[in-house]
Amino acid sequence: MSLLKSIVRRLKTRLRPGRLHWEVEEEMSFHLRERTDEYRRSGLDADSARRRAQQRFGSLSRYRSQVLHEHRVPATPGRGANLMESTLQDIRFALRTLVRRPLFTVLCLLTLALGIGANTAIFSVVKAVLLAPLPYKDSESLAILWQFDRHNQTSKEAISVPDLFDFRERASSIEHLIGFGSRQMTLTGLDEDPERVLVGGVTPGAFAELGIIPLQGRGFEAEEGVPNGPLTVALRRTFAERHFGSAREAVGRTLELNGQTFRIVGVLPEEAPFPSRDVVMWRALQVAPNSSPRGNHGTLALARLAPGVTLEQANEEITSIAAQLEEEFPNDNAGRGAFLSPLREEVVGDYRLTLWVLMAAVGMVLLIACANVANLMLSRAASRGREVGIRRALGAGRLRLARQFLTESLLLAGVAALLGLGLAWAGIRVLLQLAPPGIPRLSETGLDPWVLGFTLVISLLSGVLFGLAPAFHSTRRKAASALRQGEREGGASSAPLLRRVLVVGEVALALMLVCGAGLLLRSLWEMQAVDPGFRAERLLKGDIALPAARYPQQRSDFPEWPEVQQFYVRLFEELKRLPESESFAFATYHPLASGFTTRFQVDGRPAPAVNEQTEARVRPVSPGYFSATGIQLLQGRSFNETDRVGAKPVMILNQAMARKLFPDEDPIGQRILMWGAAREVVGIADDVRFRGLQEESQIAMYLPLFQIPFAGGSILVRTSGDPEQVASVMRTIVRDLDPLLPLTDLVLLEDVIWNSLAQPRFNALLLSLFAATALLLALVGIFGVLSQTVTLRRREMGVRLALGARPADLMRSVVGQGLALTVAGIVLGIAGAWLAGRLISGMLFQVSALDPWTFFSVPLLLVAAALLACLIPARRAAGSDPLESLRCE
């Protein structure tokens, strides 16, 4: 115990050498005074008594040196020791000062913690999604190879397998070119119910190239990536542990995908996100230069640039190769170009603008919070005018006083940072719950060292920012002026102009945020008001996929696929007995699935040049489809049971395609050449937004399912009762037809539409929350300035009331000051709001960045809110007692 006390004493001594010097001097002075007083009482005069006492003690300097040497302290404190001692004194004084004003301290801490916590939470998301390196080896040299079609105005398309091999062979600027993709497959063979899983496909060597090391087993070998090669898969770790107990136990086992047996050759880390985090296993893509048609663009390509090659140089070569392929294969590659896009941009590109906008928004909230705290500290500095005057009169310099004020502000910022970290931790949990699915790497968000460093930096900057104003204002006055000021109203004239400027800035920033939130809310409203072209209410959707192993689908036999056609016939017979259903249908793609496109030609017209051909979306549907989905049939008839293989080929066009092909003719009866047959147009259907509410309807053709029997799609049932009960019966029907066939993704299409708006809703919600916070802080700032103004003008108002002024006049005066500050902030903020609108224009839908309704209603909202903030100070001014005010003076 004594050793511990000795260590503590020595630490205190080392940290506070200046204080030890003072204690030694104080002790020697005390004993010298005591001995001098004793000699004076014996009859000696003052000089003789002092000399006798000094002789009695001997050399005081030797005694001082001996004591300091025992404590291992330099004989002179030194500049650093004095600075440390004075800093500790500043901190102790700041703590006492803040504790004596608990309401002031709590208000400052909560305001700052809110701003710091919001910034920390959003920065943690920005860091995880945008700033952290991708989890691949040398990820900055990776790029996606896209193709585009000038004729169909598509900007990004997957490439064909033959094109993949051509680019791999000809592009010297690309070191490696990996083919990859993903598809839903039916999993069986695990002694469990069949399920649909997302399976990624990659060419051999992909994992090694990306730096993904298997936990068990190996990656794919070259012979597994050729047609008819061994069927192998690699599992994600969590999937392996869930179904096999451990990664080690999974390797060497087998499972069935779409009726084919695959051998498990490896288990990969859970963190391996290639090509999607929803992938539960990978298979080897079995491709060859001629294994699929050149016109079938279904493979994505990931390129690694050769060492020393820039993206611009590689794109020049890719453009040249694409032009060569156009010349060599005009039927399939006419009008088709190619380019490389950085992988990082493809992973986070859709979310980059959103996250930086949110980062800017919380930055504005922090600025407003700092302005509010600066206002509070200016108000408090007014009451410390006498204290500052006394310290100035006793010799304290401006720098010493400024350091004291900055110490208080930094202390506040430091404590607020700790509270802000707690708010940030809770905010991150809420963000993860509210965020829509699909934001890449969001699960990696957390309070790591980089985020803690960011919090430290913004806390220090905030402390300096809101501490400079009171430090500058309180130290620029002379001592006599400060003393005189302190004798009246507790130092009342505390920088009224500076405080008003801060409030005007708060209102301007708040207006920018509220306008931005208003634009996003208007945009969300417009999205929700869009007519998708069908009735989604109570329309239940469930997906199936018929595996080729049990339902043969030879391309050469198409459309004669009897097993597939028989399944649909049996399915329709069973669906007729569904309870609580109004209508049902089957479609290869449900109304909100984009599907694929194909080329066509109008019969009787000259064949268009290769560079003038267009493509339309193909949508095979069953009889009853238009009734079940509520898509309006504008002309002609729907499909019926007679539209089968062998009957006259027919089709239905959507309105956009009919208008494009037959603007001045009746489309009914016209014939379209497609897939080797002339199909007669028997109907015109209303347009549907296949690619989402934000995309315009594209030209499309509907084909009878029993003439074009694609092996998979969506069962659509319009329910009249409980959707859960209908969904249960649908599962039973499919299970009875084929026990190995799962029915997946059972969901109401109105929920699909609702979920499609998740990202815009999330953006509008967060920005509205930050805007509301900013508005509240700005109103608090207006309230604080007016309250201080009423306090400062108490004597003036008392005199005016005594001379006959009406209370209403005083109320108008106070409210007028508040509105003047508000209007000044609005005028300043309108320009900033215009710039903010242009910044977020990419997030808007059918709303202008200068939307008049938003820019008219938001200033009115701010004026109305400011009026409410002015009422309490105004009523206090009007209720002043003139005698009480004058008596206080």
Side-chain angles (χ1 to χ4, degrees):
M1 194 67 178
S2 59
L3 178 62
L4 180 61
K5 289 182 178 180
S6 174
I7 293 174
V8 171
R9 184 170 60 253
R10 288 183 179 274
L11 284 175
K12 287 182 177 180
T13 300
R14 304 300 295 176
L15 290 175
R16 299 164 61 185
R19 184 171 183 83
L20 185 59
H21 276 271
W22 176 83
E23 289 176 350
V24 171
E25 294 289 346
E26 186 69 20
E27 182 178 356
M28 291 191 301
S29 298
F30 170 76
H31 289 294
L32 188 60
R33 287 195 302 272
E34 288 292 317
R35 187 60 62 189
T36 300
D37 290 342
E38 180 181 342
Y39 285 132
R40 290 190 63 184
R41 286 193 295 270
S42 66
L44 294 176
D45 58 71
D47 292 336
S48 300
R50 186 164 46 253
R51 282 195 300 271
R52 179 72 63 85
Q54 290 175 345
Q55 292 172 0
R56 175 73 178 272
F57 279 106
S59 176
L60 294 177
S61 60
R62 185 183 303 164
Y63 173 75
R64 180 193 303 110
S65 300
Q66 181 180 352
V67 173
L68 295 178
H69 177 72
E70 290 176 358
H71 289 83
R72 298 181 182 178
V73 174
T76 57
R79 186 172 181 178
N82 288 331
L83 178 61
M84 180 175 292
E85 178 64 25
S86 62
T87 300
L88 292 173
Q89 290 177 358
D90 286 343
I91 293 174
R92 289 194 298 270
F93 184 78
L95 282 172
R96 290 196 299 269
T97 302
L98 294 175
V99 168
R100 285 200 300 265
R101 299 289 185 90
L103 181 59
F104 164 84
T105 304
V106 169
L107 284 176
C108 290
L109 289 177
L110 290 179
T111 302
L112 287 173
L114 185 63
I116 293 172
N119 275 268
T120 301
I122 296 299
F123 176 78
S124 66
V125 177
V126 170
K127 184 259 178 186
V129 177
L130 299 183
L131 304 180
L134 298 177
Y136 306 122
K137 180 180 66 176
D138 194 15
S139 62
E140 296 306 314
S141 67
L142 295 174
I144 300 292
L145 175 59
W146 292 109
Q147 288 186 319
F148 59 90
D149 193 334
R150 303 183 191 92
H151 302 153
N152 293 317
Q153 290 79 47
T154 58
S155 59
K156 286 183 179 180
E157 286 187 4
I159 70 175
S160 66
V161 170
D163 285 348
L164 172 70
F165 280 90
D166 285 335
F167 279 109
R168 180 184 287 175
E169 180 181 350
R170 303 184 190 189
S172 60
S173 60
I174 295 178
E175 185 177 23
H176 296 281
L177 190 61
I178 302 168
F180 70 97
S182 60
R183 59 178 293 198
Q184 292 281 345
M185 301 182 76
T186 301
L187 172 66
T188 55
L190 294 180
D191 298 327
E192 300 176 5
D193 291 336
E195 63 174 313
R196 295 284 284 174
V197 294
L198 186 62
V199 180
V202 295
T203 50
F207 298 139
E209 182 59 35
L210 294 172
I212 299 175
I213 302 174
L215 298 174
Q216 293 290 332
R218 59 173 176 84
F220 302 123
E221 297 177 346
E223 62 269 18
E224 296 165 349
V226 298
N228 302 317
L231 299 178
T232 55
V233 293
L235 308 183
R236 192 186 288 273
R237 177 180 59 81
T238 51
F239 183 87
E241 292 175 349
R242 184 168 71 250
H243 291 280
F244 298 99
S246 70
R248 185 185 300 275
E249 292 294 325
V251 176
R253 304 280 289 274
T254 62
L255 47 78
E256 290 187 1
L257 294 170
N258 284 2
Q260 295 180 297
T261 301
F262 287 74
R263 185 168 61 91
I264 302 170
V265 297
V267 177
L268 300 184
E270 183 65 20
E271 296 74 21
F274 183 86
S276 166
R277 284 197 172 276
D278 296 326
V279 167
V280 299
M281 66 183 74
W282 293 261
R283 63 188 177 94
L285 280 182
Q286 298 187 338
V287 292
N290 298 315
S291 60
S292 68
R294 192 173 291 272
N296 184 4
H297 296 266
T299 304
L300 293 173
L302 179 64
R304 181 179 295 284
L305 303 184
V309 176
T310 65
L311 187 67
E312 292 74 16
Q313 293 170 338
N315 266 322
E316 289 180 5
E317 185 182 32
I318 292 298
T319 301
S320 175
I321 295 173
Q324 296 172 18
L325 296 177
E326 281 190 80
E327 294 180 2
E328 297 174 20
F329 308 100
N331 290 332
D332 295 310
N333 283 56
R336 192 170 294 278
F339 68 97
L340 290 165
S341 176
L343 179 61
R344 175 180 291 279
E345 185 63 29
E346 294 301 323
V347 171
V348 303
D350 292 340
Y351 302 95
R352 187 184 302 277
L353 176 60
T354 296
L355 291 178
W356 284 125
V357 166
L358 293 177
M359 196 70 209
V362 293
M364 291 182 185
V365 170
L366 182 58
L367 284 176
I368 295 174
C370 289
N372 246 351
V373 175
N375 256 326
L376 287 172
M377 294 195 73
L378 279 170
S379 176
R380 179 170 166 273
S383 63
R384 298 174 64 181
R386 185 174 182 81
E387 169 200 331
V388 172
I390 293 174
R391 297 181 66 181
R392 289 292 302 276
L394 292 176
R398 293 183 60 184
L399 184 61
R400 182 69 180 83
L401 292 173
R403 198 176 75 190
Q404 176 63 56
F405 279 95
L406 285 175
T407 300
E408 292 181 20
S409 63
L410 289 173
L411 186 61
L412 275 174
V415 178
L418 295 177
L419 297 176
L421 284 174
L423 291 177
W425 180 86
I428 291 172
R429 305 278 82 74
V430 174
L431 281 175
L432 293 177
Q433 293 294 323
L434 294 179
I439 299 180
R441 311 174 68 193
L442 186 64
S443 59
E444 300 174 18
T445 302
L447 300 178
D448 59 21
W450 283 100
V451 175
L452 296 178
F454 171 81
T455 304
L456 175 63
V457 170
I458 63 171
S459 301
L460 292 175
L461 290 177
S462 300
V464 172
L465 189 62
F466 69 77
L468 281 176
F472 172 76
H473 173 70
S474 299
T475 59
R476 67 184 176 87
R477 292 175 299 174
K478 296 181 179 180
S481 173
L483 287 171
R484 287 195 302 269
Q485 185 101 20
E487 291 172 0
R488 292 188 295 108
E489 297 291 342
S493 94
S494 90
L497 178 60
L498 180 56
R499 298 192 65 199
R500 290 186 176 93
V501 168
L502 290 173
V503 169
V504 169
E506 289 182 52
V507 173
L509 291 174
L511 178 76
M512 292 172 60
L513 283 178
V514 177
C515 278
L519 289 173
L520 290 185
L521 289 173
R522 281 268 293 143
S523 179
L524 182 62
W525 177 270
E526 293 293 336
M527 289 182 198
Q528 293 175 334
V530 168
D531 180 8
F534 70 98
R535 292 191 300 115
E537 301 81 11
R538 298 180 291 108
L539 184 58
L540 190 62
K541 183 269 299 182
D543 297 336
I544 59 172
L546 305 180
R550 298 197 306 277
Y551 301 88
Q553 303 156 26
Q554 293 295 327
R555 186 183 299 273
S556 58
D557 298 333
F558 184 83
E560 295 289 346
W561 290 350
E563 290 81 4
V564 174
Q565 293 167 330
Q566 289 171 13
F567 176 85
Y568 288 146
V569 171
R570 294 164 53 207
L571 175 64
F572 269 69
E573 290 299 322
E574 294 296 328
L575 290 176
K576 290 177 182 178
R577 294 193 285 272
L578 262 178
E580 298 184 326
S581 65
E582 298 177 1
S583 56
F584 63 88
F586 188 89
T588 303
Y589 301 103
H590 64 79
L592 288 175
S594 61
F596 67 95
T597 62
T598 190
R599 293 179 180 178
F600 62 90
Q601 179 185 343
V602 178
D603 191 23
R605 296 181 185 176
V610 174
N611 60 356
E612 294 178 356
Q613 292 180 350
T614 57
E615 296 186 359
R617 298 204 167 270
V618 179
R619 311 191 72 78
V621 299
S622 73
Y625 175 80
F626 297 100
S627 172
T629 58
I631 299 174
Q632 187 176 0
L633 201 62
L634 304 177
Q635 284 182 259
R637 68 171 178 88
S638 182
F639 300 133
N640 54 45
E641 299 290 341
T642 64
D643 296 319
R644 296 178 176 270
V645 174
K648 179 177 65 175
V650 295
M651 67 168 48
I652 294 174
L653 307 182
N654 72 345
Q655 190 176 19
M657 188 167 179
R659 190 184 302 115
K660 179 181 179 64
L661 299 182
F662 311 104
D664 302 317
E665 303 175 65
D666 184 3
I668 302 299
Q670 301 283 351
R671 298 200 304 173
I672 306 292
L673 300 176
M674 192 202 89
W675 294 355
R679 303 180 182 277
E680 182 180 335
V681 178
V682 297
I684 305 299
D686 201 1
D687 292 334
V688 176
R689 295 178 180 254
F690 306 118
R691 302 182 65 185
L693 300 181
Q694 302 180 54
E695 298 285 342
E696 292 293 335
S697 180
Q698 298 177 315
I699 62 173
M701 58 182 78
Y702 295 91
L703 304 175
L705 179 70
F706 293 120
Q707 288 185 350
I708 308 293
F710 279 76
S714 300
I715 302 173
L716 300 167
V717 178
R718 186 167 297 281
T719 67
S720 58
D722 181 12
E724 290 293 332
Q725 181 179 352
V726 176
S728 176
V729 177
M730 289 171 63
R731 290 191 187 93
T732 302
I733 288 175
V734 173
R735 188 183 303 114
D736 291 342
L737 291 174
D738 187 341
L740 299 180
L741 188 66
L743 180 64
T744 60
D745 294 332
L746 269 166
V747 63
L748 290 168
L749 282 187
E750 55 188 319
D751 293 337
V752 175
I753 292 179
W754 176 258
N755 292 334
S756 71
L757 299 177
Q759 184 65 45
R761 262 197 324 273
F762 177 72
N763 298 344
L765 173 64
L766 281 189
L767 199 58
S768 297
L769 180 62
F770 297 144
T773 304
L775 179 59
L776 178 62
L777 291 175
L779 296 179
V780 169
I782 294 173
F783 172 81
V785 166
L786 294 182
S787 295
Q788 182 71 4
T789 300
V790 170
T791 301
L792 296 176
R793 297 176 58 193
R794 181 171 55 176
R795 182 174 182 277
E796 172 203 335
M797 291 179 179
V799 172
R800 291 178 62 183
L801 288 172
L803 294 176
R806 294 177 302 172
D809 296 332
L810 299 184
M811 287 190 66
R812 278 195 298 271
S813 174
V814 175
V815 171
Q817 290 185 38
L819 290 181
L821 296 176
T822 304
V823 171
I826 289 173
V827 171
L828 185 63
I830 286 292
W834 176 75
L835 292 174
R838 291 178 63 86
L839 175 66
I840 66 172
S841 59
M843 302 166 62
L844 303 179
F845 174 74
Q846 294 185 355
V847 174
S848 167
L850 288 174
D851 178 53
W853 285 103
T854 302
F855 278 77
F856 176 75
S857 58
V858 169
L860 288 182
L861 172 66
L862 257 68
V863 169
L867 279 174
L868 292 177
C870 295
L871 282 180
I872 295 178
R875 288 174 61 87
R876 187 156 65 90
S880 299
D881 183 356
L883 294 179
E884 182 69 23
S885 300
L886 295 175
R887 186 179 304 116
C888 289
E889 288 297 316

